[in-house]
Amino acid sequence: MSSQPRSKSLEGKVALVTGSGRGIGAAIVTRFAEHGANVVVNYHSSADKAEKVAEHCRSLGVKAVTVKGDVSSPADIERLFETAAKELGGIDIVMSNSGIEHFNDLEQTKPVEIEKVFRTNVFGQYYVAQAAHKHMNKNGRLILISSISAQWGITRHAVYSASKAAIQGMVKCLAQDFGPKGITVNAVAPGGIKSDMWIETAKDYVPGGELMSDKDIDERISKMSPFNRPGYPEDIAGVVALLASPEAQWLTGQTLHAGGGAFMA
């Protein structure tokens, strides 16, 4: 992971990022650390990767702790927040980043698949919001993860798209719930991002899809954006850092589409 000098706009803050042991989450938690925040790296199964992310954050001069937890488990989420508050003295910024992809033919999609996607992408983010409302300091930032897929119709993608559309409705209501505490609530909707999750599921993008080469993946994603390049986790980290900054105090209940122009609202 590379880093560059950045303003310490989040110095003294504590930021918790779910699913931050790899991919977009790792880029986000690292960006928070670059801006001076002490951070909580949450992971589900990749303990070694999470610790490497935490070590890198510590090298930037901030405190970093790793906490295992499954976002689809309310008990795990509560323990995650309690540990974060105990270890770092409070929580100012929460980024709910965890999510899973899904592609399948309409008639082949089984109930267990739908339940799995919604358990993580929707229920899990709601559980994070519940814990955040209980544990966060006043005047903080809660950010959820959506996707341009919520507006962008793609064949074989209805389950995932529906789960991400739910988040965009959720933040509008949560903004009202968190408003009295001075906490903003927004969502980021990435698109066209060459993340580990996209690479792992690229073969499912089309029916009977074969394993794609790195070049094929780059070309396919690049066609989504007028910049003619793939997006990267660091691109999303910058948008999240903006929402977490003091400059975003009057922005709430919104979804920022961060797809490099792949979708323009």
Side-chain angles (χ1 to χ4, degrees), residues 64 71 109 171 175 188 207 216 258:
V71 298
T109 300
V171 296
V188 174
D216 290 338

PDB file of all heavy atoms in Angstrom, residues 64 71 109 171 175 188 207 216 258:
ATOM      1  N   ALA A  64      -3.972   1.651  15.739  1.00  0.00           N
ATOM      2  CA  ALA A  64      -4.805   0.781  14.906  1.00  0.00           C
ATOM      3  C   ALA A  64      -5.014  -0.545  15.618  1.00  0.00           C
ATOM      4  O   ALA A  64      -4.053  -1.150  16.105  1.00  0.00           O
ATOM      5  CB  ALA A  64      -4.157   0.552  13.545  1.00  0.00           C
ATOM      6  N   VAL A  71     -20.478  -9.155  10.114  1.00  0.00           N
ATOM      7  CA  VAL A  71     -21.449  -8.064  10.125  1.00  0.00           C
ATOM      8  C   VAL A  71     -22.894  -8.560  10.090  1.00  0.00           C
ATOM      9  O   VAL A  71     -23.808  -7.795  10.426  1.00  0.00           O
ATOM     10  CB  VAL A  71     -21.219  -7.074   8.962  1.00  0.00           C
ATOM     11  CG1 VAL A  71     -19.867  -6.413   9.075  1.00  0.00           C
ATOM     12  CG2 VAL A  71     -21.400  -7.744   7.614  1.00  0.00           C
ATOM     13  N   THR A 109     -31.867 -18.848  -9.389  1.00  0.00           N
ATOM     14  CA  THR A 109     -31.533 -18.252  -8.096  1.00  0.00           C
ATOM     15  C   THR A 109     -32.374 -18.872  -6.983  1.00  0.00           C
ATOM     16  O   THR A 109     -33.610 -18.887  -7.050  1.00  0.00           O
ATOM     17  CB  THR A 109     -31.757 -16.733  -8.123  1.00  0.00           C
ATOM     18  OG1 THR A 109     -30.925 -16.156  -9.141  1.00  0.00           O
ATOM     19  CG2 THR A 109     -31.408 -16.109  -6.777  1.00  0.00           C
ATOM     20  N   VAL A 171     -30.451   5.273   4.003  1.00  0.00           N
ATOM     21  CA  VAL A 171     -29.704   6.438   4.493  1.00  0.00           C
ATOM     22  C   VAL A 171     -30.602   7.663   4.645  1.00  0.00           C
ATOM     23  O   VAL A 171     -30.350   8.515   5.509  1.00  0.00           O
ATOM     24  CB  VAL A 171     -28.487   6.781   3.599  1.00  0.00           C
ATOM     25  CG1 VAL A 171     -27.477   5.661   3.611  1.00  0.00           C
ATOM     26  CG2 VAL A 171     -28.897   7.130   2.175  1.00  0.00           C
ATOM     27  N   ALA A 175     -30.675   9.355   8.259  1.00  0.00           N
ATOM     28  CA  ALA A 175     -30.266  10.753   8.411  1.00  0.00           C
ATOM     29  C   ALA A 175     -31.188  11.477   9.390  1.00  0.00           C
ATOM     30  O   ALA A 175     -30.744  12.332  10.175  1.00  0.00           O
ATOM     31  CB  ALA A 175     -30.271  11.457   7.057  1.00  0.00           C
ATOM     32  N   VAL A 188     -22.047   5.792  -0.213  1.00  0.00           N
ATOM     33  CA  VAL A 188     -21.216   5.864  -1.405  1.00  0.00           C
ATOM     34  C   VAL A 188     -21.615   4.702  -2.304  1.00  0.00           C
ATOM     35  O   VAL A 188     -21.768   3.565  -1.835  1.00  0.00           O
ATOM     36  CB  VAL A 188     -19.715   5.767  -1.063  1.00  0.00           C
ATOM     37  CG1 VAL A 188     -18.870   5.689  -2.332  1.00  0.00           C
ATOM     38  CG2 VAL A 188     -19.289   6.965  -0.234  1.00  0.00           C
ATOM     39  N   PRO A 207     -23.540 -15.026 -18.536  1.00  0.00           N
ATOM     40  CA  PRO A 207     -23.852 -16.456 -18.432  1.00  0.00           C
ATOM     41  C   PRO A 207     -22.742 -17.300 -19.040  1.00  0.00           C
ATOM     42  O   PRO A 207     -22.241 -17.023 -20.125  1.00  0.00           O
ATOM     43  CB  PRO A 207     -25.148 -16.584 -19.248  1.00  0.00           C
ATOM     44  CG  PRO A 207     -25.747 -15.223 -19.242  1.00  0.00           C
ATOM     45  CD  PRO A 207     -24.590 -14.272 -19.236  1.00  0.00           C
ATOM     46  N   ASP A 216      -8.308  -8.610 -19.739  1.00  0.00           N
ATOM     47  CA  ASP A 216      -9.733  -8.640 -20.077  1.00  0.00           C
ATOM     48  C   ASP A 216     -10.558  -7.869 -19.053  1.00  0.00           C
ATOM     49  O   ASP A 216     -11.488  -7.138 -19.403  1.00  0.00           O
ATOM     50  CB  ASP A 216     -10.240 -10.080 -20.150  1.00  0.00           C
ATOM     51  CG  ASP A 216      -9.702 -10.841 -21.358  1.00  0.00           C
ATOM     52  OD1 ASP A 216      -9.295 -10.175 -22.323  1.00  0.00           O
ATOM     53  OD2 ASP A 216      -9.675 -12.084 -21.310  1.00  0.00           O
ATOM     54  N   ALA A 258     -19.978   7.059  -7.154  1.00  0.00           N
ATOM     55  CA  ALA A 258     -18.532   7.135  -7.401  1.00  0.00           C
ATOM     56  C   ALA A 258     -18.149   6.042  -8.395  1.00  0.00           C
ATOM     57  O   ALA A 258     -17.547   5.035  -8.035  1.00  0.00           O
ATOM     58  CB  ALA A 258     -17.762   6.973  -6.098  1.00  0.00           C
TER      59      ALA A 258
END
